[in-house]
Amino acid sequence: MPPKRRGQQAEPTATEPRPAAVRENSGQRGKFLTTAQGVRLPDTDHSLKAGPRGPSLMEDFHLREKITHFDHERIPERVVHARGAAAHGTFRAYGNASSVTKAGFLQKGRETQVFVRFSTVLGSRGSADTVRDVRGFAVKFYTDEGNFDLVGNNMPVFFIQDGIKFPDVIHAGKPHPDVEIPQAQTAHDTFWDFVSLHTEATHHVMWAMSDRGIPRSYRTMEGFGVHTFRLVDAEGGTSLVKFHWKPVAGVHSLVWEEAQIAAGADPDFHRRDMADGIEAGAPLEYELGLQVLPDSDDEMFEGIDLLDPTKIIPEELAEVQLVGKLTLDRNPTNYFAETEQVAFHTGNLVPGIEVTDDPLMQARLFSYLDTQLTRLGGPNFTQLPINCPHAAVNDNLRDGMHQTLVHHGKAPYLPNSVDDALPTTATEAEGAYVHRPVEVAGPKVRANPASFDDHFSQATLFWKSLSGIEKVHVIEAFTFELGKCFSQTIQERMLGSLAQVDAELCAAVADGLGLPAPDGTPAEDVTPSAALSQIPPGPGPIAGRIIGVVAASGADLAGIGKLRRTVEAKGAILRVLAPVGGTLKRGRGQQPVSRTFLTARSIEFDAVVIAGGTAGLHDIKLTVLLQEAFRHCKVIGAWGDGAQVLTDAGIDTGAPGVVLADEVAKPFSTELVDAVGMHRVWERAERVMNS
């Protein structure tokens, strides 16, 4: 008989040989949680604050020790967001934000150079791009007033409400420490143990288990600042805001099978897509939007606590006002020097932008700066070219590891009478960053305000805002992830949380796990938000999309040329796919072969078209590619006798999203482009579901 299946993180058995030294020097001794100095702790879920809604206090030695140790756990790659890809670009402000902030880079017509790094959260540098995970969306603005870093994610909410728990949620999501598996995924016991015990994470995992967790491309995912920020205008007036990045290409995702295929066939799928697109002249474009909210004393809006990072403000309640456009059009010259060494920090602010007392944000203000000391070898990481401000710097900071500047003068202190009293401090009128005077008061407590207690209503809002096919994907994702857990107790506990979100969701997941569905009391007075669904109302841009055209030696090269001119005029990329490489030639026409049946997979193409003149073309690899593309609800096309290739491959040419024509003419090209602009042919999936 095979050995009994063992959990991925089981306790050592009593008979397991363990040296005496290991037993004596165990990392876990004693029953109670303590500091590194052995001081017992009453609470590790709440940072010490000035009142339940006040800022976190520097005297919180447990917070500082816990975060500091976490920041320095791994050398030299990032503890989180280790796998990333980046690009240079420009941000151009529209000018309408000047009514709410004096930040210079948001004034009308101002252009600012930027560097943007996208990343996964959990995986190591060697993991795959397409795993189900949160994506980092970090933007460094090299403004005239200093660097401003908007360090966000592709999801507007986070797992936890207080930054003191960040080490815990990442430890839970990372590979199990005894066997270092599974890599770059949350489908295991420790993650779902944490989530089911911290129900504040329920809203976030709804996003992560949706299609948002497996974006098609960096160019087709939204970005969010997550936290509520405070903006200050030229007269000193203040507003509270949420930052949004809206992709011009629309919001689209992979399907789960595609994500899995890509992780094996092309683990660099996202970074390759971005680099190739920029190289082909198809930049990544986003518009920056603001949800502007009144700066009330209670920092609430329509009953939603603006300091709770697990909550959103539905766009129907506060419109996202677009204030500028981000264009990424230049690839890095050197991955290590730029993408790997770039250092972001939520505390890199400019006049006109301030933080709030969000307890997750408060911990990030400490953590980001601290982690660079280990990762980049000392305090002078701002001198690295990718981190160096484009504004004049005279900081009176000296020496330290990797000091590359030669400082002059004798008095690196202020005030001084030796170095001509320089540098001098600036006034607010001279551009100094001056904090707004905000009253801070309250008892020192480790607690959350009562307004943080609602953990489920916004998860219900998210669920009810999805289309039918998106709901199916969420159910399948939860069933897959929880099905990978060994502990039935964890599965049952998580089903209890899902019962508080929606009965249909809970019942479907429970059925997939073979467990009974518990009862719950989900919120009923929830109004769906159209902005939360990824299904577009109509065709969008196709810039950066890839159209694969299957051709053979007798193919209609003139037709391929016509189609190429049409799609490339819209910023898309056409790649010829043939049995062998080289160049297809016929008369005066010729078309270069970009991929062969051996080197291509369906995941690479947003649409696959069979050229006329290819009847009789048979290859099992092509058949698999076409069947995958069809199953993944991608656009399929053919002209002339190319339709026979589809029939031979078992493709239903009468199915939705299969575009056929006798030749390449405007009606065919228009229908094809519009279909690609919808990203997927979901009607095809719905027809299968209904049957």
Side-chain angles (χ1 to χ4, degrees):
M1 295 291 290
K4 184 179 179 181
R5 190 182 185 201
R6 181 183 172 200
Q8 291 172 322
Q9 195 180 17
E11 288 293 324
T13 63
T15 58
E16 195 169 348
R18 303 178 71 197
V22 173
R23 294 196 300 271
E24 294 171 359
N25 296 320
S26 172
Q28 291 81 36
R29 289 176 292 170
K31 176 181 177 181
F32 297 103
L33 177 69
T34 72
T35 69
Q37 310 304 319
V39 177
R40 293 182 181 181
L41 294 166
D43 184 346
T44 191
D45 284 347
H46 304 90
S47 54
L48 192 66
K49 310 179 188 73
R53 296 176 53 72
S56 300
L57 300 178
M58 183 62 73
E59 69 178 79
D60 188 350
F61 58 86
H62 175 45
L63 167 69
R64 288 185 286 111
E65 178 186 75
K66 185 176 180 180
I67 295 290
T68 297
H69 194 282
F70 173 73
D71 288 342
H72 297 259
E73 280 183 2
R74 286 171 175 77
I75 302 172
E77 74 174 29
R78 290 169 168 86
V79 177
V80 289
H81 298 277
R83 182 171 181 81
H88 296 270
T90 304
F91 177 80
R92 181 175 60 84
Y94 298 154
N96 51 326
S98 60
S99 62
V100 292
T101 180
K102 63 182 178 180
F105 77 98
L106 287 173
Q107 305 310 302
K108 186 174 183 178
R110 191 72 61 87
E111 289 195 356
T112 304
Q113 291 186 333
V114 299
F115 187 71
V116 179
R117 187 178 189 271
F118 303 105
S119 56
T120 53
V121 173
L122 289 175
S124 66
R125 281 185 59 188
S127 58
D129 281 349
T130 59
V131 296
R132 183 179 294 280
D133 198 355
V134 183
R135 299 305 189 283
F137 195 130
V139 184
K140 185 177 290 292
F141 296 85
Y142 299 99
T143 86
D144 295 338
E145 300 174 296
N147 287 354
F148 168 56
D149 292 352
L150 183 55
V151 193
N153 290 329
N154 72 323
M155 300 177 190
V157 292
F158 205 62
F159 295 99
I160 53 176
Q161 295 169 321
D162 193 315
I164 198 171
K165 289 193 278 191
F166 189 66
D168 299 327
V169 67
I170 298 302
H171 285 161
K174 285 283 190 178
H176 291 182
D178 53 350
V179 289
E180 189 62 13
I181 57 173
Q183 174 62 242
Q185 60 178 293
T186 56
H188 54 91
D189 287 58
T190 57
F191 175 78
W192 290 101
D193 183 45
F194 179 91
V195 168
S196 61
L197 290 168
H198 292 77
T199 53
E200 68 201 67
T202 306
H203 188 196
H204 184 98
V205 295
M206 291 295 296
W207 283 77
M209 294 302 107
S210 77
D211 293 341
R212 304 276 185 153
I214 45 175
R216 160 63 181 86
S217 165
Y218 293 137
R219 74 171 66 241
T220 63
M221 70 179 195
E222 286 184 290
F224 303 90
V226 180
H227 307 286
T228 300
F229 290 77
R230 177 172 284 106
L231 297 188
V232 184
D233 63 28
E235 286 71 45
T238 62
S239 303
L240 299 179
V241 300
K242 295 276 192 179
F243 287 106
H244 294 246
W245 289 109
K246 297 289 188 180
V248 174
V251 187
H252 306 301
S253 296
L254 299 169
V255 296
W256 180 229
E257 187 184 35
E258 273 187 299
Q260 293 176 305
I261 292 172
D266 186 7
D268 306 309
F269 186 77
H270 284 149
R271 62 173 64 181
R272 188 188 310 281
D273 175 84
M274 179 167 66
D276 287 354
I278 291 174
E279 191 70 24
L284 284 71
E285 297 178 309
Y286 311 83
E287 288 187 288
L288 178 63
L290 304 177
Q291 281 183 302
V292 181
L293 313 164
D295 190 0
S296 59
D297 291 338
D298 62 1
E299 295 174 306
M300 303 280 289
F301 180 78
E302 299 288 338
I304 302 169
D305 194 328
L306 299 178
L307 302 187
D308 185 349
T310 69
K311 302 293 193 301
I312 65 167
I313 306 299
E315 294 187 23
E316 289 77 9
L317 297 180
E319 178 188 2
V320 176
Q321 304 174 48
L322 302 178
V323 299
K325 187 175 184 180
L326 171 66
T327 303
L328 302 180
D329 56 7
R330 182 164 63 89
N331 287 315
T333 301
N334 182 275
Y335 183 90
F336 177 79
E338 299 173 278
T339 306
E340 188 62 20
Q341 290 197 130
V342 67
F344 294 95
H345 178 28
T346 51
N348 288 347
L349 303 166
V350 292
I353 302 177
E354 296 186 354
V355 300
T356 57
D357 292 341
D358 174 345
L360 177 63
M361 167 67 92
Q362 293 281 313
R364 293 179 77 193
L365 293 173
F366 169 76
S367 180
Y368 278 72
L369 183 61
D370 177 61
T371 196
Q372 312 302 344
L373 300 178
T374 290
R375 199 175 65 81
L376 296 176
N380 292 309
F381 58 86
T382 56
Q383 296 175 21
L384 295 167
I386 195 62
N387 297 319
C388 189
H390 292 193
V393 175
N394 193 346
D395 54 22
N396 266 356
L397 303 177
R398 293 293 188 271
D399 307 335
M401 290 289 291
H402 303 150
Q403 176 60 259
T404 61
L405 302 178
V406 179
H407 293 93
H408 299 271
K410 301 179 180 179
Y413 55 86
L414 286 178
N416 72 72
S417 60
V418 177
D419 285 338
D420 298 322
L422 295 175
T424 63
T425 56
T427 65
E428 185 171 4
E430 293 170 320
Y433 189 100
V434 177
H435 294 267
R436 294 299 95 191
V438 178
E439 183 176 341
V440 175
K444 293 187 290 186
V445 296
R446 293 190 184 274
N448 279 339
S451 52
F452 277 37
D453 290 345
D454 176 11
H455 296 167
F456 301 113
S457 66
Q458 288 214 336
T460 302
L461 165 66
F462 183 79
W463 170 259
K464 289 186 177 296
S465 301
L466 300 182
S467 65
I469 189 66
E470 290 173 305
K471 287 182 176 179
V472 170
H473 292 168
V474 171
I475 291 169
E476 290 176 344
F478 271 113
T479 306
F480 173 86
E481 296 256 332
L482 292 172
K484 291 284 187 175
C485 293
F486 289 94
S487 170
Q488 183 172 320
T489 299
I490 293 173
Q491 294 173 330
E492 292 171 342
R493 191 188 306 133
M494 193 63 216
L495 287 173
S497 292
L498 295 182
Q500 299 300 111
V501 177
D502 184 84
E504 175 193 3
L505 167 64
C506 180
V509 175
D511 184 60
L513 297 175
L515 297 173
D519 294 327
T521 55
E524 296 181 357
D525 56 340
V526 171
T527 303
S529 171
L532 301 182
S533 172
Q534 291 192 139
I535 306 300
I542 66 167
R545 306 295 181 84
I546 300 174
I547 314 297
V549 177
V550 177
S553 57
D556 174 14
L557 301 188
I560 296 176
K562 287 181 182 180
L563 185 60
R564 182 187 295 277
R565 288 189 290 274
T566 298
V567 301
E568 289 184 351
K570 296 183 176 295
I573 301 167
L574 186 145
R575 289 180 176 155
V576 174
L577 175 62
V580 296
T583 301
L584 296 177
K585 297 180 180 179
R586 189 176 185 186
R588 294 184 178 181
Q590 61 180 25
Q591 289 289 337
V593 176
S594 300
R595 298 289 189 272
T596 67
F597 297 160
L598 183 63
T599 60
R601 284 301 296 266
S602 63
I603 55 172
E604 182 178 357
F605 307 105
D606 293 284
V608 180
V609 182
I610 312 297
T614 57
L617 181 61
H618 297 282
D619 189 293
I620 185 60
K621 291 182 286 296
L622 174 61
T623 298
V624 170
L625 184 147
L626 291 171
Q627 291 177 347
E628 286 179 350
F630 184 84
R631 189 165 65 248
H632 299 157
C633 298
K634 292 182 176 179
V635 178
I636 305 289
W639 74 87
D641 61 4
Q644 186 60 46
V645 176
L646 297 180
T647 301
D648 293 344
I651 303 300
D652 178 5
T653 56
V658 179
V659 183
L660 303 177
D662 293 332
E663 60 180 357
V664 177
K666 187 173 181 180
F668 173 77
S669 300
T670 299
E671 185 178 358
L672 186 72
V673 167
D674 286 348
V676 174
M678 291 297 293
H679 185 63
R680 303 273 178 186
V681 188
W682 291 125
E683 297 87 349
R684 194 185 299 159
E686 290 169 355
R687 190 171 72 168
V688 172
M689 288 164 51
N690 293 333
S691 64

